[in-house]
Amino acid sequence: MNHVLCGLAANVSLPSELVDRLIAVADADIAAVLADRADLSHAQALALASRVEESAVRLAYARRLTAADVDPVAQPDVALALLGERAGRPEWARLLATDPVVERREKLAACPGLVPDAVEMLAADSDVRVVAELALWTTPDMAARLAGHPHAEVRRAVAANDATPPAVLAALLTGQGLPPARWCLVCDREATPFVHDPQCPRVDCALLPGARCDGSHESTVHETQRMALGNPATPTEAVVSFAEHSSPLLRRALAIRPGLPPQVCGRLAVDPHPAVRADLAENPSIDDALIHALANDPDHDVRRRLAHNPRVPLDVLTHLTGATRTGATLLPRIAAASPDEVEELAQSPNPAARMLVAQRRDLTPVVRNALATDPDAKVVKSIAPHPGLSEARLRAMLDRHGVQVAAKVAANPDATPALLEDLARHKPPAQKALREVAQHRHATAPALLACLADTKARPIAAGHPALPPPVIAELLTDAAWRVVEAAAANPSLPLAVMSDLLPQLRL
């Protein structure tokens, strides 16, 4: 791979005439980058597709090619890409539905808006993979038809299709009202009864670990039920009995469904499997009594997931975050807090509560500035990236808490060039801060030059437009390919250097 030319292909400052020259020497790697250029003209797209055949599919998905540019017989994959974007010609579907390559028919089956006769051809395809793919994306009427397909794999796909009618999904959960399936992927390949060894040594084996069939296609039926339980169109009354099912995977699929009856939530809240309780904990369907019960669950992941529940009361949430790691993220309940709740949280004696509200980026100046002077470093880290903080306040944070908050201060969108320069030279070095400085819009050349000394910040800084052009040109020969690509893609790379890079590699 030529990393200089790959980076150059992504350079937004590359003039059109140099794009033409780059197309003329493009290989598959360079073409993949060129195909994503926002300024690529139709003529250039055609030239690129002609130069590197593999790029034509990418260009079709990007709508850089039109139906008039494509011969579906000579370029079936490109035609499929246009059909997938609803930009192909309807008659192409009839042609591609008989393509001898199964993978193409399978891809066609996922395309939207196919003409009815092509859909019928795909539904009658001899390869179950094609029919299953159609079942996954097709219309309600066809999904209802395919629910009775003799192959269990097709039924599994129908159960995952959001367009499948509710009554059909209910039938797939129990099998009632449907003729028994005759085959599955397991008994297609193996004599039954058969259980697939999770450590199967056969390199050509496509069966999933643990797949099994004793004639009832049990692993595929299990997956069909799991798909139906996760399908929002499945009626609630059809799923409630699965709270007592022996499979933890099916109980987990049930636990995340919205609108569950209280008695079902209550049963799942005492499930012996922690992952079931964790999935339930994040479900907005649970009531306050269950929220309080799950807040004291012995499993950390249950409590962590409960903290992400948009209905969790603030007092429970602050209790949870005092002893449970929730990550540096704005929790849904905090995002929805009212102005009065925000003020209450910001003035809480509990630093965990103040840290939570400091994650918001729409705080009033009064609340924001008060949190900026908080004595707790974790609170200051949370508030440091908030827009609107003055340079004096950001420097005061650094003076009080040092490297603990340096990276978050550097991430503030209003950090000044002078502050970023000081952060880049901070002693002791704050490596995470260097990465933030290297991508900051206000970073200056001195700050970026300091960032180049850090291994992880170097490729980021190499792509910054404020880096001096001679330095960018020097980085084109760097030992690290990521640095080379970033430098070649830097919009401040001198035009003369861009031009000189191409003749050296002209074919």
Side-chain angles (χ1 to χ4, degrees):
M1 179 183 291
N2 188 308
H3 295 291
V4 170
L5 293 191
C6 281
L8 198 62
N11 196 313
V12 295
S13 296
L14 192 69
S16 181
E17 59 270 22
L18 292 189
V19 173
D20 289 336
R21 288 166 60 185
L22 191 51
I23 290 172
V25 298
D27 60 14
D29 295 318
I30 297 167
V33 182
L34 285 169
D36 290 335
R37 289 188 64 90
D39 60 351
L40 201 68
S41 70
H42 183 236
Q44 287 171 330
L46 288 173
L48 184 60
S50 175
R51 165 78 187 180
V52 181
E53 187 177 351
E54 302 98 300
S55 68
V57 172
R58 197 180 190 102
L59 291 163
Y61 278 122
R63 299 290 192 97
R64 299 301 177 83
L65 299 179
T66 68
D69 302 323
V70 177
D71 178 354
V73 176
Q75 302 168 290
D77 294 321
V78 185
L80 280 168
L82 285 178
L83 284 172
E85 294 297 309
R86 291 183 179 269
R89 290 177 174 159
E91 61 269 21
W92 290 356
R94 300 186 189 97
L95 173 70
L96 292 167
T98 60
D99 193 289
V101 179
V102 173
E103 288 75 15
R104 288 187 184 134
R105 304 199 306 275
E106 190 176 359
K107 187 173 290 188
L108 175 66
C111 292
L114 298 177
V115 291
D117 51 343
V119 173
E120 292 292 340
M121 294 168 68
L122 294 168
D125 199 280
S126 60
D127 195 297
V128 69
R129 291 172 293 177
V130 176
V131 187
E133 191 68 19
L134 177 68
L136 185 61
W137 305 104
T138 194
T139 59
D141 289 346
M142 179 55 74
R145 279 176 51 189
L146 292 177
H149 195 277
H151 204 288
E153 187 66 14
V154 175
R155 301 184 186 205
R156 183 204 60 77
V158 172
N161 187 338
D162 288 354
T164 300
V168 175
L169 290 166
L172 286 166
L173 274 175
T174 63
Q176 295 178 359
L178 296 174
R182 295 164 59 189
W183 308 289
C184 71
L185 294 180
V186 179
C187 58
D188 279 349
R189 296 166 169 81
E190 307 288 346
T192 57
F194 179 82
V195 178
H196 187 226
D197 183 355
Q199 308 300 322
C200 178
R202 294 179 295 178
V203 294
D204 60 340
C205 184
L207 291 177
L208 294 174
R212 61 179 62 216
C213 180
D214 61 1
S216 64
H217 324 299
E218 59 264 43
S219 61
T220 311
V221 169
H222 181 275
E223 277 299 289
T224 300
Q225 292 173 326
R226 191 170 71 87
M227 294 297 104
L229 288 168
N231 194 320
T234 303
T236 300
E237 59 271 18
V239 306
V240 294
S241 64
F242 282 83
E244 305 291 340
H245 200 280
S246 61
S247 168
L249 286 176
L250 296 187
R251 300 199 304 276
R252 289 190 67 180
L254 177 63
I256 64 175
R257 285 184 61 90
L260 290 175
Q263 65 272 23
V264 174
C265 292
R267 170 64 186 85
L268 295 170
V270 295
D271 195 282
H273 202 288
V276 176
R277 304 196 305 275
D279 285 334
L280 180 72
E282 203 169 347
N283 191 328
S285 298
I286 60 176
D287 59 24
D288 287 349
L290 284 183
I291 287 175
H292 282 83
L294 291 168
N296 295 307
D297 194 281
D299 187 84
H300 176 272
D301 197 46
V302 174
R303 302 192 305 273
R304 182 187 65 81
R305 297 280 295 278
L306 182 64
H308 288 79
N309 191 310
R311 289 194 61 254
V312 62
L314 289 178
D315 61 332
V316 175
L317 184 55
T318 54
H319 164 73
L320 284 168
T321 54
T324 305
R325 293 184 179 182
T326 59
T329 183
L330 178 61
L331 298 174
R333 180 62 182 87
I334 299 300
S338 68
D340 289 344
E341 289 174 328
V342 167
E343 288 198 23
E344 180 184 345
L345 287 165
Q347 296 172 14
S348 171
N350 184 348
R354 303 195 303 274
M355 181 181 68
L356 287 174
V357 76
Q359 291 287 349
R360 286 182 60 143
R361 297 293 175 256
D362 60 349
L363 299 173
T364 64
V366 172
V367 172
R368 177 199 65 208
N369 293 342
L371 291 169
T373 61
D374 198 281
D376 192 291
K378 294 190 292 294
V379 178
V380 176
K381 280 180 66 175
S382 293
I383 197 66
H386 196 294
L389 287 168
S390 67
E391 179 177 4
R393 292 189 188 278
L394 292 171
R395 287 187 179 277
M397 293 178 184
L398 277 172
D399 291 340
R400 290 197 309 274
H401 302 289
V403 293
Q404 287 182 282
V405 301
K408 296 298 184 181
V409 169
N412 190 292
D414 299 318
T416 63
L419 175 57
L420 294 171
E421 288 182 18
D422 289 345
L423 281 164
R425 295 190 293 260
H426 191 278
K427 300 295 181 184
Q431 291 181 313
K432 290 183 179 179
L434 289 173
R435 291 170 231 164
E436 295 292 345
V437 172
Q439 62 185 328
H440 202 289
R441 61 194 175 105
H442 293 159
T444 61
L448 293 167
L449 290 171
C451 291
L452 289 175
D454 180 78
T455 304
K456 293 185 177 179
R458 187 177 178 87
I460 305 172
H464 199 293
L467 200 63
V471 176
I472 302 172
E474 288 177 14
L475 292 172
L476 293 172
T477 58
D478 197 88
W481 68 266
R482 287 186 176 86
V483 175
V484 172
E485 283 199 4
N490 194 315
S492 295
L493 185 68
L495 178 59
V497 176
M498 293 183 189
S499 183
D500 288 344
L501 291 171
L502 289 169
Q504 297 171 13
L505 293 126
R506 183 177 293 278
L507 298 180

